[in-house]
């Protein structure tokens, strides 16, 4: 994506299902789980580079022995520094006790991160600061094992204010109004209630407090805790939790917005945001990795029992299509094919824009995530060229010579790597003019690839959010090659609406398509639309959240997608370039065709899967009209 946006987070969980000595004997290391956790997190580093954290729980530790370990990093290389810190702890002890490195039981009794249950997190901050306190996993501590809660997730809640108020009504005094705090305290509250329920039940049956404690751990009803906790949640989430005595869970939102995958054999249970991370780390087949069902929680009891239980009524599944377009690693079997198909499906409008002149057109991509869709686009262009070849060869009206046959066979798509992304330049110059000049050099070009004044250039990007990088850098530098026309292709549709489920796209005024629609409204003297929608959005704010509808759709209604695309091209075209600029976007129908199992498309269509999404988009428009440069959630 040429416009960098922060997004998503990543989770990773490992539960060992055999005694620790088993892994030492079979794999030759006492750090089997830790090594696998490092792989799981490193293979998902695309999901979070603002911070990383790891927590571990040891089972059946004696009183007075530490059984929960946690460390978090928010450095520029958080995964590396996280595991360097943990390894540093080991190295210190091994210098004192070199004989114990191969003794898993001694390690468990004496060193952190040597237990049976691990939870890791990678953070991309979409809201709030980036201090250590904002990094997962979060820990809710208590002297009773079964009341300790460790939590990490990939989530955003749209109704944080309401959830905060509910905590206050329960008598709590939350330290911060943030979805991470409200989710942690909500689950923690019902975990406490479940502990109390079981304790008084066993007390009535004559059990002592000491005898009741292990029974509470065995019989905690995690499904009911999650059911009670999530009743009022509105958002997208994949949330993993560990309870101090050894139970664990991973819950997924009812619409399946955020991803969560899992794998189990007789040695290990593992959960991760992305399927390829599990496949690579544990060398398992694609079909062996399952997806947690929407509205369900994977519940792992301390005794090793694993079940998938419903805690919310599933909604129509609207898994995030941006996962397929951009966020997830392209090494996933399905995602790779879907991205190629997204590229192939834009070929016809591209060829039409070029008047089918493939001979004088250079095809390329904007590094680096659009490379796969580029392959699909080139394959589509080559399919078209092959039809032209067949037509020429089968034209039986005349004989053709060897030279003409050779020319026909040599017809192919002209593919070049036109743009190169350099290391990010530090904008230490303070004045705007010279700082913008530095920014324009983030990308560079490959000279000599375009015939000046004769060739067209087609550049595919996986999506276009703001258009800032195109305007400030890419269009300027590509124009130096002297093309007649520059066609920017987005393998995703026009981004028209904010996301509120985990992607850093919160302000309407940032979106190129929205700015284009506003410009068209003003050009056609239909400013009354803005006032009408503003009043309707204000009225929506007074309604219960479940009654909200997306009134911002009316902003786009007077115009075709092509009109908005053309106006977008006009808006982002620098004044001093010579080439004509056109923008072609994927269609909604093409998106659904390429990604049939991931129909979450609210950022393109405004069809939010939860009522809170409609509340957010209306509030975002009110903020825009009132000149407030703030988030809508």
């Amino acid at each position: 994506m040429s416009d960098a946006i922060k997004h998503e987070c990543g989770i990773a969980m490992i539960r060992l299902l055999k005694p620790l000595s088993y892994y030492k004997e079979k794999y030759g290391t006492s750090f089997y789980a830790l090594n696998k956790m490092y792989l799981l997190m490193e293979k998902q580093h695309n999901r979070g580079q603002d911070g990383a954290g790891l927590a571990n729980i040891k089972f059946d530790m004696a009183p007075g022995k530490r059984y929960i370990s946690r460390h978090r990093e928010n450095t520029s290389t958080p995964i590396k520094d996280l595991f360097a810190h943990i390894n540093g702890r080991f190295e210190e002890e091994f210098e004192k006790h070199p004989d114990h490195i191969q003794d898993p039981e001694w390690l468990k009794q004496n060193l952190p991160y040597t237990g049976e249950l691990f939870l890791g997190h990678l953070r991309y901050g979409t809201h709030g600061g980036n201090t250590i306190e904002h990094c997962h996993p979060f820990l809710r501590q208590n002297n009773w094992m079964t009341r300790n809660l460790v939590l990490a997730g990939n989530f955003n809640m749209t109704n944080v204010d309401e959830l905060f108020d509910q905590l206050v009504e329960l008598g709590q005094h939350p330290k911060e109004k943030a979805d991470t705090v409200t989710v942690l305290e909500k689950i923690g509250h019902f975990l406490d209630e479940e502990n109390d329920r079981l304790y008084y039940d066993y007390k009535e049956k004559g059990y002592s407090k000491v005898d009741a404690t292990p029974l509470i751990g065995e019989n905690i009803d995690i499904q009911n805790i999650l059911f009670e906790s999530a009743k009022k949640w509105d958002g997208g989430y994949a949330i993993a939790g560990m309870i101090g005595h050894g139970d664990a869970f991973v819950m997924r939102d009812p619409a399946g917005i955020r991803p969560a995958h899992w794998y189990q054999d007789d040695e290990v249970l593992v959960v991760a945001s992305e399927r390829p991370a599990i496949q690579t780390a544990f060398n398992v087949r694609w079909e062996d990795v399952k997806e947690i069902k929407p509205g369900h929680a994977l519940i792992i009891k301390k005794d090793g029992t694993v079940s998938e239980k419903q805690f919310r009524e599933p909604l129509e599944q609207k898994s995030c299509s941006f996962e397929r377009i951009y966020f997830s690693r392209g090494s996933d079997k399905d995602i790779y094919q879907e991205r190629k198909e997204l590229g192939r499906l834009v070929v016809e409008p591209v060829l039409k824009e070029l008047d089918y002149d493939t001979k004088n057109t250079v095809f390329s991509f904007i590094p680096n995530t659009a490379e796969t869709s580029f392959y699909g686009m080139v394959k589509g262009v080559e399919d078209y060229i092959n039809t032209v070849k067949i037509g020429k060869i089968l034209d039986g009206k005349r004989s053709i010579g060897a030279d003409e046959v050779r020319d026909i066979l040599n017809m192919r798509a002209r593919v070049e790597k036109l743009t190169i992304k350099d290391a990010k330049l530090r904008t230490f110059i303070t004045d705007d003019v010279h700082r913008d000049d530095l920014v324009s050099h983030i990308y560079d070009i490959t000279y000599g690839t375009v015939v000046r004044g004769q060739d067209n250039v087609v550049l595919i990007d996986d999506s276009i959010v703001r258009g800032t990088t195109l305007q400030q850098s890419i269009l300027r530098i590509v124009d130096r090659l002297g093309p007649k026309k520059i066609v920017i292709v987005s393998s995703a549709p026009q981004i028209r609406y904010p996301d509120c489920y985990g992607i850093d796209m919160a302000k309407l005024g940032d979106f190129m398509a929205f700015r284009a629609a506003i410009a068209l409204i003003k050009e056609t003297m239909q400013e009354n639309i803005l006032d009408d929608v503003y009043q309707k959005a204000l009225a929506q704010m007074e309604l219960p959240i479940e009654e909200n509808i997306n009134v911002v759709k009316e902003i786009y209604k007077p115009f075709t997608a092509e009109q908005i695309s053309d106006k977008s091209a006009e808006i982002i075209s620098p004044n001093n370039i010579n080439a004509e600029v056109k923008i072609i976007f994927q269609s909604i129908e093409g998106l659904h065709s390429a990604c049939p199992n991931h129909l979450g498309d609210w950022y393109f269509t405004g069809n939010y899967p939860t009522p809170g999404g409609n509340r957010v988009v209306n509030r975002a428009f009110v903020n825009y009209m009132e000149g407030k440069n703030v988030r809508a959630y």
Side-chain angles (χ1 to χ4, degrees):
M1 182 183 291
S2 55
D3 289 325
I5 62 171
K6 293 184 177 181
H7 59 88
E8 304 289 326
C9 286
I11 56 173
M13 177 182 281
I14 291 177
R15 164 67 202 274
L16 299 179
L17 299 173
K18 299 281 189 182
L20 296 177
S21 58
Y22 172 91
Y23 305 94
K24 169 64 180 65
E25 291 170 9
K26 181 170 182 178
Y27 297 104
T29 175
S30 298
F31 304 105
Y32 171 82
L34 200 59
N35 292 338
K36 294 295 186 182
M37 181 58 75
Y38 173 72
L39 271 177
L40 276 181
M41 294 178 70
E42 191 58 60
K43 293 301 179 182
Q44 297 183 101
H45 73 271
N46 54 296
R47 302 191 72 83
Q49 298 170 27
D50 288 341
L54 180 66
N56 174 237
I57 290 180
K58 304 176 185 181
F59 294 174
D60 303 317
M61 297 295 285
K65 286 280 191 177
R66 193 177 187 90
Y67 61 95
I68 299 179
S69 309
R70 179 187 62 157
H71 187 70
R72 299 171 293 179
E73 290 282 354
N74 65 338
T75 61
S76 58
T77 53
I79 302 175
K80 172 178 172 287
D81 295 336
L82 172 67
F83 283 90
H85 169 84
I86 294 169
N87 289 332
R89 297 286 301 275
F90 294 150
E91 290 169 1
E92 289 176 13
E93 288 299 319
F94 294 156
E95 287 181 8
K96 304 173 191 174
H97 308 284
D99 297 337
H100 293 312
I101 189 171
Q102 301 300 341
D103 184 349
E105 192 53 42
W106 184 92
L107 293 171
K108 177 178 175 179
Q109 295 297 322
N110 293 277
L111 289 178
Y113 307 101
T114 53
E116 293 87 348
L117 182 58
F118 290 81
L119 177 57
H121 185 264
L122 301 130
R123 180 174 190 268
Y124 251 132
T126 61
H127 189 42
N130 193 38
T131 64
I132 284 293
E133 286 71 26
H134 288 94
C135 293
H136 305 208
F138 291 94
L139 176 59
R140 191 177 192 261
Q141 293 180 286
N142 197 287
N143 257 2
W144 278 264
M145 270 189 173
T146 52
R147 293 177 186 258
N148 279 289
L149 177 62
V150 183
L151 208 67
N154 168 20
F155 63 95
N156 255 17
M157 300 299 174
T158 69
N159 59 334
V160 175
D161 291 343
E162 291 90 336
L163 297 177
F164 180 88
D165 291 341
Q166 288 171 16
L167 291 177
V168 174
E169 290 169 7
L170 291 171
Q172 294 191 17
H173 191 92
K175 65 180 181 180
E176 186 179 353
K177 187 182 283 190
D179 53 8
T180 48
V181 173
T182 54
V183 166
L184 178 70
E185 293 301 332
K186 194 76 168 177
I187 297 176
H189 170 79
F190 288 104
L191 177 62
D192 288 343
E193 286 204 342
E194 177 69 2
N195 271 268
D196 290 342
R197 180 187 69 82
L198 289 168
Y199 167 69
Y200 287 113
D201 183 44
Y202 289 122
K203 183 180 179 181
E204 286 182 8
K205 293 176 181 177
Y207 288 90
S208 69
K209 293 179 180 179
V210 172
D211 292 336
T213 297
L215 294 173
I216 291 172
E218 290 173 15
N219 293 287
I220 281 179
D221 188 344
I222 294 179
Q223 181 183 12
N224 188 60
I225 291 171
L226 301 181
F227 170 78
E228 295 292 344
S229 301
K231 276 183 177 177
K232 299 294 184 180
W233 291 357
D234 187 293
Y237 50 88
I239 299 173
M242 306 188 298
I243 303 174
H245 69 289
D247 284 359
F249 61 86
V250 184
M251 55 197 305
R252 191 178 183 202
D253 66 84
I257 295 170
R258 300 272 68 89
H261 296 82
W262 65 287
Y263 164 79
Q264 181 187 6
D265 56 27
D266 62 344
E267 296 181 350
V268 67
L269 180 137
V270 57
V271 180
S273 294
E274 298 195 25
R275 180 170 52 190
I278 298 176
Q279 288 185 255
T280 299
F282 291 87
N283 191 28
V284 296
R285 297 177 303 174
W286 171 87
E287 56 267 28
D288 293 331
V289 181
K290 304 173 185 177
E291 202 168 358
I292 297 176
K293 294 193 286 287
H296 286 66
L298 192 69
I299 297 174
I300 310 104
K301 296 293 288 182
K302 188 205 169 204
D303 65 7
T305 304
V306 179
S307 59
E308 197 172 7
K309 301 285 190 179
Q310 181 178 312
F311 67 93
R312 287 278 302 274
E313 187 69 31
L315 303 172
E316 181 183 0
Q317 186 159 348
K318 293 291 184 180
S319 301
C320 175
S321 59
F322 246 123
E323 285 280 351
R324 323 302 285 182
I325 296 166
Y326 171 61
F327 295 147
S328 295
R329 287 169 70 94
S331 56
D332 182 273
K333 169 179 162 290
D334 288 345
I335 291 175
Y336 181 75
Q337 295 301 328
E338 289 166 7
R339 290 181 182 176
K340 284 179 65 177
E341 182 67 0
L342 286 168
R344 189 190 69 81
L345 288 173
V346 295
V347 167
E348 182 56 34
V350 169
L351 291 174
K352 186 177 179 181
E353 180 61 41
L354 298 171
D355 199 22
Y356 298 88
D357 182 9
T358 57
K359 180 179 180 181
N360 296 302
T361 300
V362 175
F363 296 89
S364 192
F365 60 95
I366 303 172
N368 282 321
T369 54
E371 188 172 3
T372 304
S373 59
F374 171 70
Y375 294 147
M377 181 178 71
V378 170
K379 176 66 166 58
V381 173
E382 289 176 343
D383 288 345
Y384 162 73
I385 291 174
N386 284 339
T387 62
V388 175
K389 290 180 181 180
I390 291 169
K392 289 179 176 291
I393 291 173
L394 294 182
D395 184 357
K397 294 179 180 179
R398 58 184 178 82
S399 61
I400 55 176
D403 289 343
E404 190 171 356
V405 171
R406 188 178 298 109
D407 289 342
I408 293 171
L409 294 178
N410 283 337
M411 293 172 63
R412 57 176 56 89
R414 293 173 57 193
V415 173
E416 304 287 356
K417 187 164 185 177
L418 289 184
T419 61
I420 305 161
K421 189 171 185 179
D422 290 326
K424 190 172 182 179
L425 299 171
R426 295 193 177 276
T427 54
F428 54 87
I429 297 176
T430 57
D431 65 278
D432 291 341
V433 173
H434 292 90
R435 183 171 61 246
D436 288 347
D437 183 61
L438 273 180
V439 170
S440 71
H441 290 84
I442 290 173
Y443 284 85
D444 207 343
I445 46 172
T446 305
Y447 291 96
T449 51
V450 173
V451 179
R452 185 173 292 275
Q454 179 176 314
D455 285 342
N456 305 302
V457 166
V458 174
L459 286 172
I460 191 168
D461 197 349
D462 40 38
S463 56
I464 303 170
V465 185
R466 306 176 187 94
T468 307
T469 305
L470 287 170
Q471 184 176 37
Q472 293 184 353
S473 181
I474 292 169
L475 289 174
R476 294 178 188 272
I477 63 169
V478 172
D479 189 60
R480 295 177 197 161
L481 298 172
K484 291 187 303 182
K485 180 184 288 187
I486 301 172
V487 181
I488 302 296
V489 183
S490 171
S491 68
Q494 298 168 358
I495 297 172
R496 298 182 171 193
Y497 305 95
D499 182 77
C500 51
Y501 305 121
I503 306 172
D504 188 20
M505 299 192 303
K507 303 170 188 175
L508 275 171
D510 288 346
F511 303 142
M512 181 178 68
F514 180 79
R515 299 199 310 271
I518 296 298
L520 288 169
I521 284 173
K522 293 179 178 178
E523 283 181 10
T524 56
M525 294 182 287
Q526 298 185 74
E527 285 91 340
N528 61 293
I529 293 175
L530 299 178
D531 295 330
D532 290 346
V533 174
Y534 175 59
Q535 293 302 323
K536 290 179 181 179
L538 286 174
Q540 291 287 309
M541 297 294 98
E542 304 301 319
L543 297 175
I545 190 170
E546 60 272 11
E547 295 181 18
N548 270 227
I549 61 172
N550 180 359
V551 300
V552 183
K553 289 183 178 183
E554 296 179 25
I555 296 294
Y556 298 96
K557 193 172 291 184
F559 311 108
T560 65
E562 187 176 1
Q563 285 177 301
I564 292 174
S565 296
D566 290 344
K567 180 53 66 174
S568 296
E570 183 182 322
I571 288 173
I572 67 167
S573 296
N575 294 327
N576 56 347
I577 72 168
N578 298 310
E580 179 188 358
V581 176
K582 298 289 289 187
I583 299 180
I584 293 174
F585 287 92
Q586 181 68 258
S587 67
I588 299 297
E589 295 76 18
L591 172 69
H592 291 170
S593 173
C595 309
N597 299 317
H598 291 74
L599 301 178
D601 60 5
W602 52 91
Y603 12 71
F604 310 124
T605 64
N607 298 328
Y608 289 89
T610 74
N614 293 326
R615 169 68 62 86
V616 167
V617 68
N618 292 329
R619 185 181 293 138
F621 186 73
V622 169
N623 289 341
Y624 170 80
M625 291 296 289
E626 294 178 355
K628 296 176 182 176
N629 188 30
V630 295
R631 291 177 167 275
Y633 61 91

